[in-house]
Amino acid sequence: MTKSRKPNGDSTIYQAKDGRWHGYVTVGVKDNGKPDRRHVTRKTRPEITKAVRDLEAKRDKGKVPKAGQRWTVESWLTHWVENIAALTVGENTIDGYRVAVYHHLIPGLGAHRLEKLEPEHLERLYAKMQKAGSSAGTAHQVHRTVRVALNEAVRRKAITENPATIAKAPVLDETEVEPYSVEEVQRLLLEAAKVRNTARWVIALALGLRQGEVLGLQWEDVDFEAGVILVRRGRLRPRYKHGCGDRCGRKPGYCPKKINTRRETKSTKSKAGKRPIGVPEELMKLLAQHKETQDRERVRARDLWVEKGYVFTSEVGEPLNPNTDYHRWKDLLKAAEVRDARLHDARHTAATVLLILGVPDAVVDAIMGWEPGKSARMRRRYQHMTSPVLQQTAAKVGGLLWPAGDQTSRAPSAVDGPDQMAPSEVQPSNDPVSPRAVVFVAKVGQQLVPFRLHEHASALVDQWNTERPGLSAQVEVWDEARWEAEGPGGSRAVRERESDQRVVFHAYAAFRPGGERVDLSLPEQWSVAAWDFEGDVYTDRSASWRTARRPGPEQLVEAQVRGIDKSAVAAAFVEAVEQAVDRARNPGKFGDTSDW
């Protein structure tokens, strides 16, 4: 009888001379085309039979690791981050991956065999990181990094399952960022006017550009005639290596001969990020002044100036370092005495203002550089509802529930118009967004102050006539369309409350070059009753001050102070005068002129 032979590729079990049982299972084909036969060994036949059956089951499910290098967590993560990820992701992304790999994952898990890594190992690492002081956000970044790295290991069959998809990352609460109030923004802008690159901070607060987008702006991106800025690149964080052969004993970033190994800018991260933005006229004027200041710095720097065309530069023309820019932001917050916040929170402020002003969603998306698929989520995150907005929303809901003609279902309220109006006047609607809505315009002197309620406009006119009998004042009724077409400021200028009036204290002094005080034959300090629409004299701050060099041949330096607290104004005046004298004596210190 002929002995039967097992088919090629079938599993084999036999006992060796030493008494141990051995098994061979064909699990696939090697890279060279030969069968991939895996070997297992056990002491008894039942044990080897079970081992062979288990290996066959893994083969049938496609869960047998590929033959070849036996990876450790350290060797795989190093290979992945340097040879795979570095070729496929952006510079900022790879920086984050490297921090997670070299500072957290390899020190915490590097010695494990890759196929032996368990979800519990990862969860214990996250807990250990947080216990050592790392935030939940940092642990989440590490979790995302190892998940991406091990997904690639599964795809390349270095392992069969990704334990990071099973492990639970720490709970990450999305922090609700509070935007700066109008008063806080004004205080920031006042302080920004005293430092270099003033327009850099105005752009952040007014247009909401990201840090990299602002620092990557070049003059060729600014169209002064059209009033448009084209955002198309972002500034990258420098990455340095030693230029001294590593002999200085310092970190590469502090080497006296350091060499930047990274390009300065890259294109915006998405098509939506590349966008034109309309710029307010006042900001365009500020950019023009900034360009003149940069021209003077170029003359002063002479041979040291490096011309690269950036809008915001160091004193010698180099693009600003993002890290230095971050510290200047923190200095600005301290000087303005506003609460601490991230530089990116200035973007929240700008986005919130756009949304609250009722700018259409498509326009907001274009200005902020949001991709269409993500814009709804981003708008929800950035729109921070404030009390006035909630009140206006409630009024609109009330208008829908209780129409203007239905007097039986609601009691009279303060939002109603006057009891009687001239036949020629348009009757107001209680719905502030109704096409029949009107605007009550208080015409006081040369000012047009629009109100939603007649009583507010009348109160202003009555008080104006009492205080300033020589100036005419009256209430006019305009329809919404006329105000939109002719009124200054459009619908944004229409007031939902009465005007505010305060006694504002002022102080002023002027100095000639060298510090000599100019005799103005006028009082240095005075007070005036000012309305909130009189922007040149009104303020609601206790005290604020500034110094400036007046244009003209005399080169006078002015010290100006105003506020509603008389003692605070007097104290601020002393400080303003001190800086004005210093500015008059040392104009080059403040970048006023290159001729001194």
Side-chain angles (χ1 to χ4, degrees):
M1 179 177 177
T2 306
K3 184 176 180 181
S4 63
R5 179 173 177 172
K6 292 187 176 183
N8 287 337
D10 201 5
S11 300
T12 303
I13 295 176
Y14 67 91
Q15 187 177 29
K17 293 181 180 180
D18 60 1
R20 288 188 65 85
W21 288 86
H22 296 262
Y24 283 88
V25 179
T26 301
V27 297
V29 180
K30 295 180 180 180
D31 291 339
N32 60 8
K34 295 181 179 180
D36 183 4
R37 297 273 288 176
R38 301 294 175 90
H39 171 248
V40 289
T41 180
R42 298 291 188 271
K43 291 182 179 180
T44 66
R45 184 176 183 99
E47 290 176 336
I48 194 63
T49 300
K50 183 178 184 302
V52 168
R53 297 294 177 263
D54 289 344
L55 188 55
E56 289 174 337
K58 286 185 178 180
R59 175 198 62 193
D60 296 341
K61 294 180 180 179
K63 293 186 176 182
V64 178
K66 185 179 179 180
Q69 183 175 356
R70 305 298 292 269
W71 298 97
T72 63
V73 171
E74 178 178 5
S75 62
W76 171 256
L77 289 178
T78 302
H79 169 70
W80 169 78
V81 77
E82 299 299 343
N83 301 321
I84 300 175
L87 303 179
T88 57
V89 300
E91 289 91 335
N92 290 337
T93 302
I94 197 64
D95 279 350
Y97 284 167
R98 285 188 172 117
V99 169
V101 166
Y102 293 122
H103 290 268
H104 299 290
L105 289 167
I106 288 179
L109 302 171
H112 284 283
R113 290 278 292 275
L114 188 62
E115 70 272 14
K116 299 293 185 181
L117 187 65
E118 299 290 340
E120 292 74 20
H121 295 145
L122 295 169
E123 291 165 345
R124 284 195 288 270
L125 172 65
Y126 305 151
K128 184 177 179 181
M129 287 174 58
Q130 290 185 277
K131 189 175 181 180
S134 295
S135 67
T138 301
H140 236 277
Q141 166 66 9
V142 169
H143 175 71
R144 291 193 298 269
T145 301
V146 71
R147 185 176 61 202
V148 173
L150 297 185
N151 275 340
E152 189 63 30
V154 172
R155 197 171 73 86
R156 296 175 184 239
K157 298 183 179 180
I159 54 176
T160 58
E161 290 184 324
N162 183 352
T165 60
I166 302 173
K168 300 296 184 183
V171 176
L172 184 61
D173 294 329
E174 187 172 285
T175 304
E176 184 69 18
V177 180
E178 181 183 358
Y180 288 117
S181 66
V182 174
E183 180 185 0
E184 288 173 321
V185 171
Q186 290 172 341
R187 289 160 64 181
L188 284 168
L189 294 180
L190 284 172
E191 290 302 322
K194 303 175 184 177
V195 300
R196 281 188 78 250
N197 294 320
T198 299
R200 184 264 176 272
W201 308 114
V202 179
I203 286 177
L205 292 164
L207 302 181
L209 267 64
R210 302 174 179 90
Q211 183 193 39
E213 292 173 343
V214 178
L215 301 189
L217 281 178
Q218 297 184 4
W219 286 116
E220 65 182 13
D221 304 323
V222 182
D223 189 334
F224 286 100
E225 292 185 4
V228 170
I229 287 177
L230 177 60
V231 179
R232 53 184 173 182
R233 71 179 68 82
R235 175 80 164 99
L236 292 172
R237 293 182 178 275
R239 185 177 181 87
Y240 297 107
K241 71 175 184 179
H242 282 283
C244 65
D246 201 8
R247 293 189 296 271
C248 66
R250 304 179 183 179
K251 292 182 178 180
Y254 296 94
C255 174
K257 300 180 179 179
K258 63 186 177 184
I259 300 172
N260 185 12
T261 61
R262 176 174 290 175
R263 53 182 174 158
E264 291 177 347
T265 63
K266 68 168 186 175
S267 298
T268 53
K269 64 181 183 180
S270 66
K271 290 182 179 179
K274 185 176 181 179
R275 62 202 188 276
I277 297 179
V279 181
E281 182 180 354
E282 293 78 4
L283 181 50
M284 269 301 180
K285 291 179 181 178
L286 187 60
L287 280 171
Q289 294 172 6
H290 173 72
K291 196 172 191 300
E292 294 175 359
T293 301
Q294 191 180 92
D295 291 339
R296 293 196 295 269
E297 289 182 339
R298 184 183 291 103
V299 172
R300 268 202 305 273
R302 294 183 174 86
D303 294 342
L304 296 177
W305 185 269
V306 180
E307 187 57 67
K308 295 186 176 181
Y310 288 98
V311 174
F312 302 109
T313 69
S314 68
E315 290 84 350
V316 293
E318 291 285 354
L320 293 180
N321 188 311
N323 188 50
T324 303
D325 182 67
Y326 166 82
H327 289 295
R328 295 293 80 80
W329 166 254
K330 293 297 183 180
D331 293 341
L332 191 65
L333 295 180
K334 291 179 181 178
E337 297 181 354
V338 300
R339 56 189 167 79
D340 188 39
R342 305 173 307 162
L343 176 54
H344 196 72
D345 292 347
R347 181 169 166 82
H348 285 257
T349 299
T352 301
V353 169
L354 290 172
L355 291 163
I356 288 178
L357 289 178
V359 176
D361 290 348
V363 178
V364 175
D365 296 345
I367 293 174
M368 300 303 294
W370 291 334
E371 295 184 50
K374 303 177 181 178
S375 57
R377 179 180 64 84
M378 295 303 293
R379 283 195 297 273
R380 286 195 300 270
R381 173 162 171 73
Y382 277 78
Q383 186 170 15
H384 304 76
M385 301 302 288
T386 58
S387 295
V389 180
L390 294 174
Q391 292 169 3
Q392 292 167 17
T393 303
K396 293 178 182 180
V397 172
L400 292 174
L401 295 178
W402 296 285
D406 185 5
Q407 298 297 327
T408 61
S409 60
R410 67 182 182 94
S413 71
V415 299
D416 292 327
D419 294 335
Q420 294 182 347
M421 296 183 64
S424 61
E425 294 177 342
V426 182
Q427 294 296 324
S429 166
N430 293 304
D431 183 357
V433 297
S434 167
R436 294 179 57 233
V438 298
V439 177
F440 299 97
V441 180
K443 192 172 183 179
V444 289
Q446 300 299 317
Q447 300 269 10
L448 297 178
V449 188
F451 293 91
R452 191 63 65 190
L453 300 182
H454 184 274
E455 61 191 72
H456 293 165
S458 297
L460 173 60
V461 167
D462 291 344
Q463 190 165 346
W464 184 277
N465 284 330
T466 301
E467 295 179 353
R468 310 180 190 186
L471 299 175
S472 63
Q474 59 184 350
V475 177
E476 296 183 356
V477 182
W478 296 20
D479 60 47
E480 193 96 23
R482 179 186 173 190
W483 177 259
E484 285 286 345
E486 303 177 23
S491 60
R492 293 176 294 177
V494 179
R495 296 165 175 250
E496 304 287 344
R497 59 178 178 81
E498 295 184 36
S499 297
D500 181 41
Q501 186 183 39
R502 297 173 187 263
V503 175
V504 181
F505 298 91
H506 293 258
Y508 177 88
F511 302 86
R512 293 189 176 91
E516 177 189 357
R517 198 169 204 153
V518 178
D519 183 9
L520 300 172
S521 300
L522 295 170
E524 289 187 340
Q525 300 188 42
W526 69 95
S527 64
V528 62
W531 293 95
D532 57 6
F533 52 81
E534 297 178 303
D536 55 336
V537 291
Y538 174 87
T539 182
D540 59 358
R541 297 187 60 189
S542 58
S544 59
W545 63 271
R546 65 185 289 269
T547 65
R549 184 173 294 274
R550 182 193 296 175
E554 291 184 301
Q555 292 286 304
L556 295 181
V557 175
E558 302 171 317
Q560 302 175 18
V561 186
R562 62 176 173 171
I564 58 176
D565 186 328
K566 185 176 182 180
S567 59
V569 169
F573 188 47
V574 174
E575 189 175 357
V577 166
E578 182 180 351
Q579 187 185 90
V581 171
D582 185 23
R583 190 165 187 168
R585 292 174 177 171
N586 305 287
K589 177 180 177 181
F590 295 85
D592 289 339
T593 176
S594 59
D595 299 329
W596 291 77

